[in-house]
Amino acid sequence: MERELALEVVRVTETAALAAAQWMGRGKKNEADGAATTAMRMMFDSVSIKGTVVIGEGEMDEAPMLYIGEQVGSLQGPEVDVAVDPLEGTNIVARGLDNAISVLAIAGKGRLLHAPDMYMEKLAVGPALAGKVDIDAPLEETLRIVSETLRKNLHELTVMMLDRERHENIVRTLRKAGVRIKFITDGDVAGAIAPAMPESGIDLFIGSGGAPEGVLAAAALKCLGGELQGRLMPGNALEYQRCVEMGLQDPYKVLTMNDMVGTDDVIFAATGVTSGSFLQGVRYMPGERAETHSLVMRAQTRTIRHIRALHYLPNKHIVHLAAEAN
């Protein structure tokens, strides 16, 4: 993929974030998500790719845009798979909480896993622990490896996870071991990336969350040198069959980074909607301006760019159109 794409796609997440940020704390998650989705879809038209959405807002009959199989981009340029979450953390924005982002990943055609919309068990770590942990190992053993590798006592480790009842057994094990736990209400793309971002203070991410979000996080961790292991969790016969139809003959196999994002180049971009552990949210400034903070990365070069941009809002026509549509 052309390296210029990295700077093109971050404009897409910036626009979606600007559209969503207007709904922060207003209790309207559907409107926030709709604005982000509309803005992202419209902005994609300016990107020089022939893209196919493989992870998006749902099937064609479930989503009016950014649906699975939709063609996006200018339709001139490289053929790529596209994974998007225009607003990861709809509830977060509605409630005015931290860690909502607009996020996307692109890779060569056929490289991204067409992850079905179901739960995925996840284990995510930063570069120092890549290749040293196993999702199948007992959690106590994983904690020992993390402690020894990072040269931290158990009580100095911080594990991040979604605050869900289904994680009760994991929480019990972590507390017995004496490690610190950082709960998040939503947003497990940002959560899974956190162990690879030193400023986050997170050593390990575990637990189950959305499978599509797992693929997006795997794309980011490939760029950062970290690792995510996953296992799909089909909840019934229909979900199991869906996995098989999508080419996963063994839906319960451990999914590696290569399974999820391939072995070639990947570009990942995210823009903060509300402030979080490694991205600042949209800030409104005097003079009808707004500041965004974005992260854009490319696996092939392992270049990590933090981009702060100041936008003159009267000229953001797509943001205004998205607001009118929602």
Side-chain angles (χ1 to χ4, degrees), residues 116-172:
D117 189 10
M118 64 180 65
Y119 285 136
M120 174 189 282
E121 181 185 357
K122 303 171 189 177
L123 173 66
V125 296
L129 288 159
K132 297 181 180 180
V133 294
D134 184 350
I135 197 172
D136 282 331
L139 182 52
E140 295 88 346
E141 174 66 10
T142 299
L143 293 174
R144 183 189 65 79
I145 293 171
V146 174
S147 174
E148 291 178 356
T149 302
L150 299 182
R151 298 183 180 181
K152 291 184 177 182
N153 295 319
L154 285 174
H155 69 269
E156 296 173 323
L157 297 179
T158 303
V159 176
M160 179 172 277
M161 61 194 303
L162 285 168
D163 187 7
R164 300 290 187 270
E165 288 186 9
R166 63 180 181 267
H167 294 151
E168 182 179 339
N169 289 337
I170 296 175
V171 171
R172 188 178 298 114

XYZ file of all heavy atoms in Angstrom, residues 116-172:
456
model
N -17.225 -12.288 12.572
C -18.668 -12.155 12.778
C -18.967 -11.368 14.044
O -18.134 -11.258 14.947
C -19.144 -13.615 12.912
C -17.934 -14.365 13.379
C -16.748 -13.667 12.785
N -20.165 -10.824 14.107
C -20.561 -9.991 15.238
C -20.953 -10.878 16.423
O -22.128 -11.206 16.617
C -21.723 -9.081 14.841
C -22.033 -8.048 15.913
O -21.227 -7.915 16.858
O -23.078 -7.381 15.806
N -19.958 -11.287 17.170
C -20.162 -12.108 18.367
C -19.009 -11.839 19.312
O -18.109 -11.057 19.011
C -20.222 -13.595 18.008
C -18.935 -14.154 17.418
S -19.036 -15.913 16.999
C -20.278 -15.896 15.703
N -19.031 -12.464 20.469
C -17.958 -12.266 21.433
C -16.678 -12.978 21.005
O -16.703 -14.015 20.339
C -18.359 -12.775 22.815
C -19.325 -11.895 23.545
C -20.414 -12.434 24.229
C -19.159 -10.510 23.580
C -21.308 -11.634 24.917
C -20.053 -9.704 24.265
C -21.124 -10.266 24.927
O -22.007 -9.469 25.605
N -15.558 -12.399 21.436
C -14.250 -13.009 21.252
C -13.490 -12.915 22.571
O -13.456 -11.850 23.198
C -13.452 -12.268 20.160
C -11.999 -12.761 19.999
S -11.000 -11.698 18.897
C -11.594 -12.258 17.289
N -12.945 -14.031 23.006
C -12.032 -14.021 24.152
C -10.719 -13.420 23.698
O -10.221 -13.749 22.616
C -11.821 -15.452 24.641
C -10.916 -15.592 25.840
C -10.657 -17.044 26.202
O -11.228 -17.947 25.553
O -9.861 -17.277 27.131
N -10.127 -12.520 24.506
C -8.939 -11.796 24.063
C -7.862 -11.761 25.136
O -8.162 -11.699 26.330
C -9.302 -10.342 23.708
C -10.377 -10.211 22.647
C -10.844 -8.771 22.497
C -12.067 -8.687 21.606
N -12.597 -7.311 21.500
N -6.643 -11.782 24.659
C -5.465 -11.554 25.497
C -4.547 -10.645 24.703
O -4.090 -11.011 23.619
C -4.761 -12.873 25.821
C -3.420 -12.776 26.557
C -3.619 -12.211 27.958
C -2.746 -14.147 26.629
N -4.289 -9.437 25.212
C -3.479 -8.460 24.487
C -2.332 -7.975 25.354
O -2.506 -7.711 26.548
C -4.338 -7.271 24.049
N -1.159 -7.863 24.716
C 0.048 -7.433 25.429
C 0.853 -6.488 24.546
O 0.642 -6.399 23.337
C 0.933 -8.639 25.815
C 0.210 -9.551 26.800
C 1.368 -9.423 24.575
N 1.809 -5.807 25.173
C 2.708 -4.914 24.463
C 3.913 -5.641 23.896
O 4.044 -6.864 24.030
N 4.845 -4.914 23.267
C 5.994 -5.533 22.588
C 6.852 -6.417 23.484
O 7.342 -7.463 23.029
C 6.786 -4.326 22.082
C 5.782 -3.234 21.950
C 4.800 -3.456 23.060
N 7.061 -6.039 24.728
C 7.940 -6.816 25.609
C 7.415 -8.218 25.864
O 8.188 -9.146 26.164
C 8.140 -6.087 26.933
N 6.105 -8.409 25.744
C 5.490 -9.700 26.051
C 5.021 -10.453 24.818
O 4.515 -11.574 24.932
C 4.306 -9.491 26.997
C 4.687 -9.119 28.428
C 3.536 -8.437 29.137
C 5.129 -10.361 29.179
N 5.186 -9.864 23.645
C 4.762 -10.533 22.415
C 5.503 -11.852 22.252
O 6.723 -11.928 22.385
C 5.016 -9.631 21.208
N 4.752 -12.919 22.008
C 5.338 -14.243 21.830
C 5.639 -14.983 23.116
O 6.144 -16.112 23.088
N 5.325 -14.374 24.252
C 5.681 -14.988 25.542
C 4.473 -15.437 26.353
O 4.642 -16.056 27.405
C 6.517 -14.003 26.372
C 7.847 -13.653 25.732
C 8.649 -12.693 26.602
C 9.988 -12.366 25.937
N 10.790 -11.429 26.750
N 3.268 -15.118 25.901
C 2.074 -15.492 26.646
C 1.185 -16.379 25.781
O 1.341 -16.445 24.566
C 1.285 -14.242 27.106
C 2.085 -13.447 28.122
C 0.911 -13.366 25.915
N 0.247 -17.061 26.430
C -0.620 -18.015 25.739
C -2.022 -17.888 26.306
O -2.222 -18.019 27.521
C -0.074 -19.426 25.951
C -0.862 -20.491 25.194
O -1.935 -20.172 24.659
O -0.397 -21.647 25.149
N -2.992 -17.630 25.450
C -4.367 -17.461 25.899
C -4.911 -18.715 26.555
O -5.849 -18.668 27.363
C -5.257 -17.014 24.708
C -6.587 -16.429 25.224
C -5.481 -18.157 23.736
C -7.427 -15.784 24.145
N -4.324 -19.883 26.230
C -4.770 -21.146 26.812
C -4.140 -21.441 28.170
O -4.563 -22.375 28.860
C -4.471 -22.305 25.862
C -5.468 -22.388 24.716
O -6.630 -21.971 24.923
O -5.095 -22.849 23.630
N -3.122 -20.691 28.540
C -2.439 -20.937 29.815
C -3.310 -20.460 30.974
O -4.105 -19.532 30.831
C -1.092 -20.226 29.841
N -3.161 -21.078 32.158
C -3.866 -20.565 33.339
C -3.500 -19.107 33.587
O -2.354 -18.700 33.345
C -3.351 -21.470 34.467
C -2.871 -22.708 33.797
C -2.340 -22.260 32.459
N -4.455 -18.327 34.047
C -4.214 -16.901 34.248
C -3.083 -16.667 35.237
O -2.284 -15.733 35.074
C -5.495 -16.214 34.732
C -5.438 -14.706 34.962
C -4.884 -13.976 33.754
C -6.826 -14.184 35.328
N -2.980 -17.517 36.257
C -1.904 -17.375 37.234
C -0.532 -17.482 36.572
O 0.402 -16.754 36.928
C -2.037 -18.425 38.335
C -3.271 -18.295 39.202
C -4.471 -19.034 38.634
O -4.435 -19.430 37.444
O -5.456 -19.205 39.370
N -0.412 -18.395 35.596
C 0.856 -18.556 34.881
C 1.145 -17.326 34.025
O 2.284 -16.855 33.948
C 0.795 -19.808 34.011
C 1.989 -20.028 33.103
C 3.293 -20.303 33.850
O 3.252 -20.513 35.091
O 4.341 -20.294 33.206
N 0.108 -16.806 33.376
C 0.290 -15.601 32.560
C 0.756 -14.435 33.415
O 1.671 -13.685 33.031
C -1.021 -15.239 31.843
O -1.393 -16.312 30.974
C -0.873 -13.965 31.034
N 0.155 -14.277 34.582
C 0.558 -13.192 35.476
C 2.004 -13.343 35.916
O 2.745 -12.358 36.026
C -0.359 -13.146 36.694
C -1.821 -12.759 36.438
C -2.641 -12.907 37.712
C -1.927 -11.342 35.883
N 2.431 -14.572 36.156
C 3.827 -14.812 36.543
C 4.774 -14.389 35.425
O 5.789 -13.716 35.676
C 4.043 -16.288 36.869
C 5.462 -16.608 37.352
C 5.694 -18.104 37.454
N 5.640 -18.754 36.163
C 6.641 -18.746 35.271
N 7.759 -18.076 35.537
N 6.521 -19.372 34.120
N 4.443 -14.749 34.197
C 5.290 -14.395 33.055
C 5.336 -12.885 32.874
O 6.398 -12.295 32.637
C 4.773 -15.083 31.773
C 4.960 -16.601 31.875
C 5.486 -14.538 30.539
C 4.280 -17.370 30.768
N 4.187 -12.233 32.987
C 4.129 -10.778 32.855
C 4.980 -10.121 33.935
O 5.767 -9.192 33.667
C 2.675 -10.277 32.923
C 2.634 -8.749 32.945
C 1.871 -10.807 31.748
N 4.843 -10.595 35.152
C 5.602 -10.036 36.278
C 7.105 -10.182 36.059
O 7.870 -9.212 36.236
C 5.180 -10.738 37.566
O 5.980 -10.332 38.652
N 7.537 -11.372 35.657
C 8.970 -11.611 35.480
C 9.527 -10.844 34.283
O 10.623 -10.285 34.350
C 9.220 -13.107 35.316
C 8.958 -13.914 36.587
C 9.178 -15.395 36.387
O 9.470 -15.814 35.234
O 9.044 -16.160 37.368
N 8.774 -10.819 33.194
C 9.263 -10.160 31.982
C 9.359 -8.656 32.170
O 10.333 -8.018 31.738
C 8.343 -10.480 30.791
O 8.273 -11.901 30.607
C 8.876 -9.842 29.508
N 8.355 -8.071 32.805
C 8.343 -6.616 32.997
C 9.086 -6.178 34.252
O 9.214 -4.978 34.516
C 6.888 -6.117 33.053
C 6.037 -6.363 31.806
C 4.654 -5.764 31.994
C 6.693 -5.813 30.549
N 9.552 -7.164 35.027
C 10.276 -6.895 36.271
C 9.451 -6.024 37.212
O 9.908 -5.018 37.765
C 11.637 -6.245 35.973
C 12.560 -7.149 35.155
C 13.906 -6.519 34.934
N 14.765 -7.406 34.144
C 16.022 -7.135 33.796
N 16.563 -5.968 34.168
N 16.735 -7.986 33.088
N 8.222 -6.447 37.388
C 7.308 -5.794 38.314
C 6.775 -6.841 39.283
O 6.543 -7.994 38.907
C 6.119 -5.162 37.572
C 6.438 -3.958 36.717
C 5.143 -3.393 36.127
C 5.361 -2.133 35.318
N 4.082 -1.575 34.807
N 6.565 -6.439 40.505
C 5.862 -7.304 41.445
C 4.399 -7.426 41.024
O 3.860 -6.550 40.326
C 5.944 -6.736 42.862
C 7.362 -6.717 43.400
O 8.128 -7.664 43.196
N 7.724 -5.637 44.081
N 3.757 -8.505 41.459
C 2.366 -8.706 41.083
C 1.493 -7.524 41.484
O 0.610 -7.103 40.723
C 1.824 -10.000 41.707
C 2.295 -11.310 41.063
C 1.808 -12.495 41.872
C 1.788 -11.413 39.630
N 1.734 -6.959 42.650
C 0.890 -5.860 43.101
C 1.161 -4.562 42.339
O 0.433 -3.578 42.505
C 1.057 -5.626 44.615
C 2.389 -5.067 45.008
N 3.454 -5.868 45.348
C 2.825 -3.784 45.111
C 4.488 -5.087 45.652
N 4.131 -3.828 45.507
N 2.201 -4.567 41.494
C 2.499 -3.397 40.661
C 1.897 -3.517 39.261
O 1.910 -2.546 38.493
C 4.011 -3.206 40.552
C 4.686 -2.899 41.879
C 6.200 -2.873 41.771
O 6.759 -3.702 41.011
O 6.816 -2.038 42.449
N 1.399 -4.696 38.901
C 0.810 -4.904 37.583
C -0.584 -4.292 37.524
O -1.323 -4.301 38.510
C 0.702 -6.395 37.261
C 2.009 -7.190 37.155
C 1.690 -8.651 36.843
C 2.915 -6.597 36.089
N -0.937 -3.784 36.340
C -2.289 -3.266 36.111
C -2.892 -3.988 34.913
O -2.332 -3.971 33.817
C -2.278 -1.754 35.841
O -1.652 -1.087 36.944
C -3.701 -1.233 35.683
N -4.028 -4.627 35.151
C -4.744 -5.365 34.112
C -6.010 -4.596 33.762
O -6.750 -4.171 34.649
C -5.101 -6.786 34.594
C -5.934 -7.521 33.545
C -3.838 -7.569 34.913
N -6.248 -4.420 32.481
C -7.448 -3.718 32.030
C -8.454 -4.727 31.499
O -8.082 -5.714 30.850
C -7.100 -2.691 30.953
C -8.306 -1.921 30.414
S -7.838 -0.551 29.304
C -7.482 0.728 30.522
N -9.729 -4.471 31.753
C -10.788 -5.349 31.250
C -12.121 -4.622 31.273
O -12.295 -3.631 31.992
C -10.872 -6.630 32.093
C -11.187 -6.375 33.547
S -10.897 -7.821 34.597
C -11.935 -9.017 33.806
N -13.057 -5.121 30.461
C -14.405 -4.579 30.484
C -15.093 -4.956 31.791
O -14.926 -6.071 32.291
C -15.217 -5.138 29.308
C -14.917 -4.559 27.928
C -15.567 -5.418 26.852
C -15.397 -3.119 27.813
N -15.857 -4.039 32.324
C -16.595 -4.273 33.565
C -17.887 -5.015 33.220
O -18.917 -4.402 32.922
C -16.896 -2.932 34.246
C -17.517 -3.111 35.618
O -17.586 -4.257 36.103
O -17.922 -2.096 36.213
N -17.805 -6.347 33.248
C -18.930 -7.191 32.898
C -19.081 -8.340 33.891
O -18.076 -8.874 34.380
C -18.750 -7.782 31.485
C -18.625 -6.760 30.374
C -19.949 -6.039 30.123
N -19.880 -5.184 28.945
C -19.505 -3.909 28.959
N -19.177 -3.324 30.112
N -19.475 -3.209 27.844
N -20.310 -8.769 34.141
C -20.546 -9.881 35.057
C -19.880 -11.166 34.568
O -19.459 -11.995 35.381
C -22.048 -10.109 35.229
C -22.757 -9.029 36.047
C -24.204 -9.372 36.307
O -24.610 -10.524 36.010
O -24.934 -8.499 36.809
N -19.779 -11.331 33.268
C -19.183 -12.560 32.733
C -17.706 -12.703 33.091
O -17.131 -13.769 32.912
C -19.365 -12.614 31.216
C -18.662 -11.502 30.439
C -18.906 -11.636 28.936
N -18.242 -10.612 28.161
C -18.792 -9.460 27.795
N -20.035 -9.190 28.170
N -18.121 -8.569 27.064
N -17.080 -11.638 33.576
C -15.669 -11.674 33.953
C -15.456 -11.924 35.445
O -14.350 -11.755 35.953
C -14.984 -10.359 33.555
C -14.903 -10.150 32.077
N -14.883 -8.901 31.496
C -14.856 -11.036 31.051
C -14.810 -9.029 30.180
N -14.795 -10.314 29.892
N -16.496 -12.359 36.127
C -16.426 -12.513 37.577
C -15.292 -13.450 38.007
O -14.554 -13.156 38.958
C -17.763 -13.038 38.108
C -17.830 -13.198 39.609
C -19.179 -13.687 40.081
O -20.176 -13.522 39.334
O -19.255 -14.242 41.193
N -15.137 -14.580 37.314
C -14.081 -15.531 37.693
C -12.690 -14.952 37.460
O -11.763 -15.172 38.250
C -14.239 -16.840 36.923
C -15.442 -17.643 37.385
O -15.913 -17.471 38.514
N -15.953 -18.504 36.525
N -12.540 -14.199 36.375
C -11.249 -13.568 36.093
C -10.926 -12.549 37.179
O -9.799 -12.485 37.683
C -11.274 -12.888 34.706
C -11.471 -13.919 33.606
C -9.980 -12.102 34.472
C -11.619 -13.323 32.218
N -11.907 -11.750 37.542
C -11.707 -10.736 38.585
C -11.299 -11.397 39.901
O -10.376 -10.929 40.588
C -12.981 -9.892 38.777
C -12.853 -8.995 40.003
C -13.264 -9.061 37.534
N -11.940 -12.506 40.210
C -11.615 -13.210 41.458
C -10.155 -13.666 41.451
O -9.437 -13.527 42.451
C -12.553 -14.399 41.631
C -12.440 -15.082 42.993
C -13.424 -16.233 43.130
N -14.800 -15.753 43.030
C -15.638 -16.071 42.038
N -15.222 -16.848 41.049
N -16.862 -15.622 42.034
